[in-house]
Each structure stands twice: as C-alpha cells, then as structure tokens.
Amino acid sequence: MKSNSVKLIATNELFRIINNPMSVLIIVTLLFIVCLNGLASGYKLTKYEKGIDGIGDIFLSVGIGTVIYNTFILLNILSLFLGLVTFAEERNSGALKVLVSKPVYRKHILQGKFIGISVFIFMTVSLCMICNVFIISIVFRGPFLLEDMTLRIGSYILLVFLNCGLSLAVAFLIGAVTKRYFAALLCGIVYLSIAWFTQIGDFLGLLTVFMPASLFALAMNPGPGSMDLLDTTVPFDGWMFSSAHYFVIIAIEVGCVLLASFAIYSTRDD
Amino acid sequence: MHNTLIIARKELIDLFSEPFVLIFSLFYFLLIFLTVYSIDRNIALILSMNIGPQTFLSSFGGMISFYGSLTAIIIGYSSIASEKRESALNTLITKPIYRDQIITGKLLGSTVFLFFLIVVGTTFFISFSFFFYSGIFNLIFPSFFNNVVFIIIMSMCYIFIFFFMTMLVTLSTNNYGFSLILNVLIWFISQIATDLSINGNISYIAEFLGLTDSHQAGATIMGILPYGIMSNYLTDIGDPYAETVNALPSLFSILPLSIYAAILLFLCYISFLRRDIV
C-alpha cells in the first residue's frame, strides 16, 4: 500500500512537472548553454590543443568544464523552485487538501513528490551532459578514454543530483514551515543568495564545509593541489577516494532536511 | 498630480509595512555588513601597495548594484503582485483615476523606497568602514566621498533595469509565483551571460565564422549587457594601479543602462495601460 501510493504520487508529480512552464524554460536555457558550448568547442578546443601540452584530455577539463558550474546552479534553482511550486503553492492554494484527505500518510505524499521531482532532475542532468558530450564528440573529437570519461561524467551527474536533492529538500522544509506562498518564495531566494549568490558561507568558519557551494567545490576538487574530477592527469580512483566522504555528507544533509520537513508537515493543520 | 502623489504615498506606506520586504531589506543590510567585513582580506594588499580608496569604492559599487538589483526585484514584485493577488488593483482601476496616474504613483512610491534603501545602505557602509578600518578609511574618506555619488547614480541605473523588468513581467503574467521565479532567473542569466559559458563561446563562434577576433567579440558583448557594463565600470574604478580615482561614468557606460531602463519603463506603462487586470 505504502509503495503503491508513493509510486502513484511520484509518477503523477513527474508528469505534472514536465508540463510546468518553468521547467520548460530552464531546460531550454540549459540546452541552449550546452549546445552553444558544444558548437564552440570544435574551434575552441582545437586552438587549446595546439597551444598547451601536459594538461590531460581537454575534452573534459575545457570542453565540459566550461559549463558545469553555471548549469549546476541553474539546476539547483530549478530544484528549489520546483519544490516550492509543487509543495508550498499547493499548500497555499488548498490543492494539497485533496491529497491529504485520502488514506495516505503525509510523509508518503512528500516522499512521492520528492521522488518524482528527483527523477525529473536526474533526467535533466543526464540529458544536458549527454547532449554536451555528443555535440563535442561530433565537432571536435571523442575523449581519449571512453570508460574514464563515463566514470567522471557519471560522478558529476551523481554530485549534481545529490546537491539538487538538497535544494529540493530545503524547498520542502520551507513549504512545511510556512503556508504563505510569497513567504516561501522569499525564503527560497534568501537560501539561494546564502548558498550560491553571496559569500556568506565564508564567514561560518568550520560550518562552511556544510554549505552547498563548498561541498560542491570540495567534492569536485578535494585537494590538496589539483585533484579536479575533470582533470584526466589525476587517476579517477584517487579522486574518488578523496571525495567520497563529501558525497556522504551531502546525502546525510538531504536525509536530515527531509526528515525535518516530514516531521514539521505531519504536525500542521491543512 | 494630486492622485498620483496619493497613490505614491500609499505605495510607500505599503512597502514599509510589508513584512517580507522589510525582512529582505534587513538581509540586504546584512550583506552590506559582510561586504565591508570582507574588505579586510584586501587590507594587506592596500597597505603593501599604498593604494587609495579603489577597493572601498569597487566593493561599495558591487554591493549597491548587485545586491540592490536582487532587492529591487523583490520590491517590484511586491508592489504589483500583492495588489493583483488581493484584487486591490481591480478596485483601484474602477475609481475615476487615469491608469497612467496609478502606474506613475506606484513607480514613484517604489522608487522613493529604493532610494531610501540605497541611502541607508550607503550610510551603513560608511559607518561599518569607519568601525572596522578607521585608520585607513579616515585617510581615504575625502576621495571616497567625492566619488560615491557617481557610483550611486550608475548603480541606480542598473538597479532600475531589474526593477522595471520585474514590474513588466509581473504585470504580464497571471501566475505570481512563476513571475517572481522568472525574474530571479533573468537576473541570474544576465550575470552568467557575460562569462565563458555564453559570452566566451559566442566569441569563439564569431571568430570561427570570421566575423571578428574572439577578444573583440567578448568585449563587445560585455559592453552591451547590463552586468558587463557594470562590471567593466567597477573594474576600472577598482584598478589598483590607477594614480587617481575617478568614478564619473563615461557616456558609453551610463547611456546604455539608461536606455535599457527607459525602454523597460515604457513597456511597463504600455503593459499596464493596455492590459486587463485579472
């Protein structure tokens, strides 16, 4: 019964999000950025390859690396606002009352929504990366080592997916705390500002490591020195060994924030 | 004119009493505090290179323009969406008041509030600077003060672009949540459009097509986009090797920003005058 209701809610949520104009807008923007990058890579990477030696396969470090940060933030924005739209807005408009009146636990409602949106985010990230790799392979050349590239791109997709899951969990927490949609949107913008648009995280001392921007940077380049995920001079297993615990930290953060939102929403009158 | 001033006064009172606008304004002041605090990282550079007020002026300009533009989005959205949502705007347009008086009054009230925020923000910046860096800031304050007005004028042009854009988008869409999200998205994309992922790639494509050199193409794009214009202006002010500081914006800097703001203001008027308010 539990898995059936969660699955039904997740499936419904997935199809609703696909038709959401904001999703369409951000995906079109993402595809524009990756396609533009792909098209420019034919000329750009040829110039790079002639002038520079010893920096590994520029297919990843330059070709893919140019767009990863901005697409990453756009995906976080998408996750956060999708979470606010599907939860906070529905609470505000009363649409969620229909679902709450059914014999479904509230936590199953949130679980279903979270899974549905997460699947959408995963599909979007994968689509963007596949498009990027595909276009660069056509206009420039393929990567030196296909298996190595697959592992690195797959790790990046997992990192983005986890970080977007954190943004989504924060959106659910905001939606659980406040019923007012405008207040929820403002809280979301403040969260984005703190997490991504400003350097507030730099002033938190040791707590900085738990900020999404820091976690992303540390997971991509765990250091010391250059151990960047997209730098093929660094062995993949060396990078993975150094950054695995950051993935675990992100996953734990997602779990904690989600549990908090479940607990708070369960006590709310709707 | 009398009706316009009444509406402007009402708008100002509404903004001061809207809790979320006030909370976001407090968040803006917090960002000002952190901006001043982070100048500390550059103090060693200032002391070792014997530089004037460039660092303070460029930090001030960045804080006012970039964080101020995000705050302007919230203010612009609140100004229109809250009244549309509560159908107060429908009531207002049934009164014997011309529509252009309504939109002029709202714009005037919101502009005064924005200007108030900037003045308070400037005061906080100067106060915090005296508090944290009294020795250095005392020496450079005359030069800072002589140039701060130009930075405020330039920043206001930049902020008004996003303010009018927000009002235009909110007037044009019926989904309030979507309009705020769209505004934040446009704000973010306007910034990333100047970096390698968009500007850089377009420049390389232009060079490949034989149109121009990639550096020239990149510089042209930076000179067209609002964020690029503002960045170039602040970079010139913050030049540590400049012998004197002159924040007076060139015509090529302030004119494009003013034109963008004027076009968006015109579109706001057209949208409000010709659309049915739902």
Side-chain angles (χ1 to χ4, degrees):
Chain A
M1 184 64 178
K2 168 203 167 181
S3 61
N4 206 26
S5 58
V6 170
K7 188 178 158 191
L8 280 170
I9 294 170
T11 311
N12 179 58
E13 202 61 42
L14 178 63
F15 285 112
R16 285 182 59 224
I17 290 164
I18 288 172
N19 293 321
N20 190 306
M22 188 181 58
S23 307
V24 174
L25 183 66
I26 294 186
I27 289 173
V28 165
T29 307
L30 282 166
L31 288 175
F32 170 75
I33 292 174
V34 299
C35 290
L36 188 68
N37 180 63
L39 291 172
S41 292
Y43 180 68
K44 173 176 69 177
L45 296 183
T46 309
K47 277 183 79 170
Y48 264 84
E49 202 155 53
K50 281 180 188 168
I52 302 172
D53 290 322
I55 61 164
D57 189 0
I58 59 172
F59 182 98
L60 283 173
S61 58
V62 181
I64 304 290
T66 306
V67 295
I68 56 166
Y69 188 70
N70 288 332
T71 55
F72 174 64
I73 295 185
L74 272 171
L75 284 161
N76 268 279
I77 292 174
L78 176 65
S79 308
L80 182 79
F81 285 130
L82 273 179
L84 289 173
V85 164
T86 58
F87 187 42
E89 192 193 19
E90 288 190 4
R91 263 193 89 191
N92 184 63
S93 65
L96 208 57
K97 286 182 186 175
V98 175
L99 204 51
V100 167
S101 64
K102 304 295 179 197
V104 181
Y105 284 109
R106 289 191 176 201
K107 63 179 181 183
H108 293 166
I109 296 173
L110 289 188
Q111 282 173 10
K113 284 182 176 289
F114 184 83
I115 291 170
I117 301 173
S118 297
V119 167
F120 176 74
I121 295 294
F122 184 80
M123 284 162 48
T124 306
V125 176
S126 306
L127 175 68
C128 289
M129 281 295 113
I130 290 169
C131 282
N132 211 0
V133 167
F134 184 67
I135 296 174
I136 296 176
S137 298
I138 292 175
V139 302
F140 178 55
R141 58 159 174 78
F144 290 146
L145 295 169
L146 185 62
E147 188 184 318
D148 184 59
M149 184 214 71
T150 307
L151 286 171
R152 291 176 190 271
I153 295 288
S155 302
Y156 172 73
I157 290 173
L158 178 62
L159 177 61
V160 172
F161 174 66
L162 284 174
N163 251 292
C164 290
L166 179 59
S167 296
L168 186 56
V170 168
F172 276 26
L173 183 63
I174 293 170
V177 167
T178 177
K179 202 175 171 181
R180 294 185 63 175
Y181 189 37
F182 182 41
L185 286 172
L186 265 184
C187 291
I189 292 170
V190 170
Y191 169 76
L192 278 179
S193 301
I194 292 172
W196 300 109
F197 300 153
T198 63
Q199 282 84 42
I200 287 179
D202 294 347
F203 299 94
L204 299 177
L206 289 173
L207 294 177
T208 305
V209 75
F210 296 108
M211 297 293 290
S214 301
L215 279 171
F216 173 73
L218 288 168
M220 286 291 293
N221 193 352
S226 174
M227 284 194 69
D228 198 88
L229 169 64
L230 301 182
D231 182 1
T232 52
T233 59
V234 176
F236 175 75
D237 48 4
W239 168 85
M240 191 175 68
F241 182 74
S242 301
S243 67
H245 55 285
Y246 294 117
F247 282 74
V248 172
I249 291 173
I250 300 172
I252 291 172
E253 278 192 21
V254 174
C256 290
V257 175
L258 262 184
L259 283 173
S261 60
F262 292 168
I264 293 170
Y265 184 54
S266 298
T267 62
R268 290 285 191 253
D269 287 328
D270 268 351
Chain B
M1 187 64 183
H2 180 63
N3 289 332
T4 305
L5 290 174
I6 290 173
I7 293 170
R9 184 170 155 265
K10 176 199 165 292
E11 186 64 28
L12 199 56
I13 293 170
D14 285 346
L15 283 170
F16 272 109
S17 55
E18 173 67 55
F20 303 115
V21 171
L22 293 176
I23 288 169
F24 202 87
S25 303
L26 286 173
F27 177 66
Y28 174 61
F29 296 142
L30 172 66
L31 293 175
I32 293 172
F33 172 78
L34 293 174
T35 300
V36 175
Y37 191 75
S38 68
I39 293 175
D40 180 62
R41 293 173 197 163
N42 295 312
I43 287 296
L45 184 69
I46 293 175
L47 289 173
S48 64
M49 296 188 70
N50 198 26
I51 295 172
Q54 289 93 331
T55 305
F56 286 93
L57 281 170
S58 61
S59 297
F60 172 73
M63 170 209 78
I64 287 284
S65 54
F66 301 132
Y67 300 152
S69 55
L70 194 55
T71 311
I73 288 173
I74 302 299
I75 293 168
Y77 174 80
S78 176
S79 173
I80 300 291
S82 56
E83 293 208 356
K84 272 179 88 174
R85 193 171 57 240
E86 292 159 14
S87 301
L89 213 52
N90 278 344
T91 308
L92 200 55
I93 61 174
T94 61
K95 303 298 177 191
I97 308 171
Y98 289 108
R99 280 205 181 194
D100 62 320
Q101 287 178 320
I102 298 173
I103 188 71
T104 306
K106 288 185 107 26
L107 285 170
L108 195 60
S110 304
T111 303
V112 169
F113 185 81
L114 258 177
F115 190 68
F116 168 78
L117 274 185
I118 288 173
V119 167
V120 171
T122 305
T123 310
F124 277 5
F125 185 93
I126 293 173
S127 306
F128 291 145
S129 297
F130 272 120
F131 181 74
F132 286 115
Y133 317 112
S134 53
I136 297 169
F137 200 66
N138 269 325
L139 294 171
I140 65 172
F141 183 69
S143 180
F144 177 89
F145 190 74
N146 288 339
N147 289 287
V148 76
V149 173
F150 301 128
I151 295 178
I152 289 176
I153 292 170
M154 189 70 177
S155 301
M156 290 284 287
C157 292
Y158 180 77
I159 289 169
F160 275 129
I161 290 172
F162 293 97
F163 177 64
F164 295 142
M165 175 203 75
T166 303
M167 292 189 89
L168 175 64
V169 169
T170 312
L171 281 169
S172 306
T173 57
N174 293 327
N175 188 326
Y176 312 119
F178 177 70
S179 67
L180 182 58
I181 295 166
L182 181 60
N183 285 312
V184 173
L185 200 58
I186 293 172
W187 177 83
F188 177 68
I189 291 173
S190 73
Q191 295 185 21
I192 67 170
T194 58
D195 68 13
L196 285 174
S197 59
I198 297 180
N199 183 10
N201 285 326
I202 292 175
S203 304
Y204 277 114
I205 291 174
E207 186 173 300
F208 173 70
L209 294 173
L211 298 172
T212 180
D213 175 59
S214 64
H215 293 292
Q216 188 61 38
T220 305
I221 293 170
M222 284 287 279
I224 293 172
L225 297 172
Y227 183 81
I229 295 169
M230 204 64 207
S231 293
N232 288 340
Y233 171 71
L234 292 174
T235 303
D236 290 340
I237 293 173
D239 182 4
Y241 301 104
E243 289 179 3
T244 57
V245 179
N246 184 11
L248 181 67
S250 71
L251 204 59
F252 294 111
S253 296
I254 199 165
L255 193 59
L257 292 184
S258 306
I259 290 173
Y260 293 143
I263 290 171
L264 287 165
L265 174 62
F266 177 71
L267 290 172
C268 275
Y269 267 92
I270 298 293
S271 177
F272 189 76
L273 290 175
R274 297 189 66 85
R275 263 180 74 92
D276 285 329
I277 306 295
V278 176

